[in-house]
Amino acid sequence: MSLAFKNLRGKPVRTAVLVILTVLLALTVFAGTLTVSSLRSGLGSLENRLGAEVMVVPYEATTKKSFENILLQGSTGYFYMDKSVYDKISKTEGIGRISEQFYLASTSSGCCSIPVQIIGIDPETDFTVQPWIKKSFDKPLGDCDIVVGNDLNAFVGDTLQFYGTDCRVAAKLEKTGTSFDTTVFTNESTIRKMIRASIDKGLNNFKDIDPEQVVSCVMIDPAEGYTADDVVNDINLHIKKVRAVRTKEMISGVSDSLSGVSRIVGILIFAVWVLGGVILLLAFTMSVNERRKEFAVLRVIGASRGRLARTVMAEALTVGVTGSLIGIGLGLLIMLPFANAVEGLLSMPYLLPDIWSIAAIACAAAAAAIVTGAAAAAVSAYRISRLDTGVILRGDN
Amino acid sequence: MLLKGEGIAREFIRVSGGSNRFTAVQDTDIELHGGQLTVLSGRSGSGKTTLLNMLSGLLPPTRGRVLLDGEDIYSLNDAKLSRLRNRKLGVVPQGQTAIHSLTVRENILLPCTLYGNADAADEEYAASLMERLDIAALASVRPAELSGGELRRMAIARAMIRHPEVIFADEPTGDLDDENTAVVFEFLRSAAGDGAAVLVVSHEAAAADYADRRLTMTKGEIAEM
Ligand SMILES: Nc1ncnc2c1ncn2[C@@H]1O[C@H](COP(=O)(O)OP(=O)(O)OP(=O)(O)O)[C@@H](O)[C@H]1O
Ligand SMILES: [Mg+2]
């Protein structure tokens, strides 16, 4: 067993304090970075999943924020506008791809203790949902087929009932970290049947609509040579009672809060880092200073200056490695199981990055903590290596 | 074996007080021969420890050279000089010098473990040293629990563990009773008998009985007695 290790063991309280500091350092850097990176990939995932550059919804849906809340907050809701809007939009200049969607909220159902959002798509024209459900389900959605979000407690082959319609779970989606994790997707004719049933049962706030004559949302990608702004402006100018929004604009709120959170986390990491670094610096300085005489004795019995410095550095590295391993371990224990809780807490899209990115963040955090400790100790190591043995060892001073 | 100080002197800069350049040891010639026990005495502050530190490779003299078998030890780089201290020079410093995180046994074996591992012969020698110095029962105790005299005897064993060619002891019996003082001097005497050069700083009257040679220091100047 090395002298450095014995020195650490010989002063358990001091060593524990140093290790705890390093744990805090590694934990903060790791958890903070992982949070920000999860929010980033959540936002990226949301951007991908929304899939269209422009969305057109009934005017009230934007004023009451119900549209935003469905997509960004994961709350449930629905709204409808006349189908003729779709035809008018199709005739607008600059439209590339276009498809309609239908929204409905379930009452609590077998799979889920909470109401879920149901989104109906047109398998013929859809270009936003099917490309990414393809990974789980590579066919057009048939009647009474549903595809469920990752957080829902339903599995392929299960039968779920919505408003009296039995639906077969055809696929379960990958985690997206967005409101789509609690969404059920189905095709146009199936959701029309459900909307009809919800109205008949008096469970729909829109009592007077004809499900065959409405749509909820129109998804648009502009044609070549046109920008999203062109399309949005054109629609908002010429078509009444609807509102076209740019997807980017809608999630700009999310990216704003993301940069807000990033900044706070950044400041937190910086503060803990500086504070931890300073405390470690003081702790190592004190620890080495109070052992000046012991280091002088090591010189007397034949330790070189380099050897003294290496002993101090070995103590620091032992503390650093131990502390950062514990810190990362704690971080994983906290961050992985509670990813959903964090998502709820921040009410922002939150998607853990893949395992390799997590590993990379863990390594970087560990390295940051170890390097900080080593840098703090390096000052003491240098000073102890300059030690004037002959001066220190005179009498009992 | 011969350790030789050639015109070694040491000056210190004093921050306060009249002239700020102060000579602790005047230009001194001294020779320590293998098999000889030299006792150095003198008043407090006369420069005994300063001289001993210069001879034992711990304090470079301001002037002059220290030669071990003809080799100027201060011309060596730090790693080589450290190694030489470890192998050939045993020092019992003034005051308490335990490493507190190590047991008595580990403290004594530290010169060996510093450069590799203590082998069976080292362990055996450590055991016999502890036996002779009457601290065998304390082998696995930590220094914090030891008395001043016990710590001193531990430091002596530590200085001896490598069978050094030169042994320096700075007031090694300062806090020992008469009986233990006798044990320590017998001990140093027998080390000299085995061929080592021994330099002991001591005020004990009893030291005279063991000395081959007696020196005294006054204000940095050395004289035979
Ligand atoms: N590092 C230093 N800086 C300034 N002065 C020093 C230093 N080391 C020693 N001195 C001075 O040199 C003189 C000799 O000191 P030294 O320790 O050699 O005395 P000593 O003979 O060993 O005394 P003691 O018997 O009390 O141990 C003293 O006056 C001391 O103040
Ligand atoms: Mg002295």
Side-chain angles (χ1 to χ4, degrees), chain B residues 60-99:
Chain B
T62 314
R63 292 185 292 278
R65 300 191 300 165
V66 177
L67 306 170
L68 181 63
D69 290 330
E71 186 179 35
D72 180 353
I73 63 171
Y74 287 105
S75 71
L76 299 172
N77 67 21
D78 179 63
K80 287 213 177 95
L81 176 53
S82 299
R83 188 102 200 189
L84 180 133
R85 274 203 308 275
N86 180 262
R87 303 235 57 129
K88 298 191 173 170
L89 309 176
V91 180
V92 183
Q94 200 170 3
Q96 297 309 350
T97 57
I99 305 292

Side-chain angles (χ1 to χ4, degrees), chain A residues 3 6-7 9-10 293-294 297-305 307 388-390 393-396, chain B residues 49 53 58 78 82 85-86 91 94-102 106 110-111 114-115 142 158:
Chain A
L3 178 62
K6 284 176 183 161
N7 282 341
R9 198 193 46 186
K293 186 147 186 191
E294 294 199 2
V297 170
L298 288 176
R299 291 282 288 154
V300 168
I301 62 176
S304 63
R305 295 188 182 281
R307 177 63 196 260
D388 198 340
T389 314
L393 276 183
R394 289 185 321 112
D396 274 316
Chain B
T49 299
N53 282 342
L58 295 168
D78 179 63
S82 299
R85 274 203 308 275
N86 180 262
V91 180
Q94 200 170 3
Q96 297 309 350
T97 57
I99 305 292
H100 288 89
S101 60
L102 305 180
E106 288 169 335
L110 192 55
L114 212 51
Y115 289 94
R142 264 169 229 289
R158 187 178 60 202

Side-chain angles (χ1 to χ4, degrees), chain A residues 96-132:
Chain A
R97 295 189 288 190
I98 180 165
S99 179
E100 74 265 44
Q101 288 189 351
F102 306 84
Y103 292 169
L104 182 63
S106 79
T107 56
S108 56
S109 67
C111 69
C112 326
S113 50
I114 44 160
V116 300
Q117 180 68 34
I118 308 173
I119 296 182
I121 59 165
D122 175 0
E124 303 279 293
T125 57
D126 171 69
F127 62 97
T128 62
V129 178
Q130 287 189 135
W132 57 274

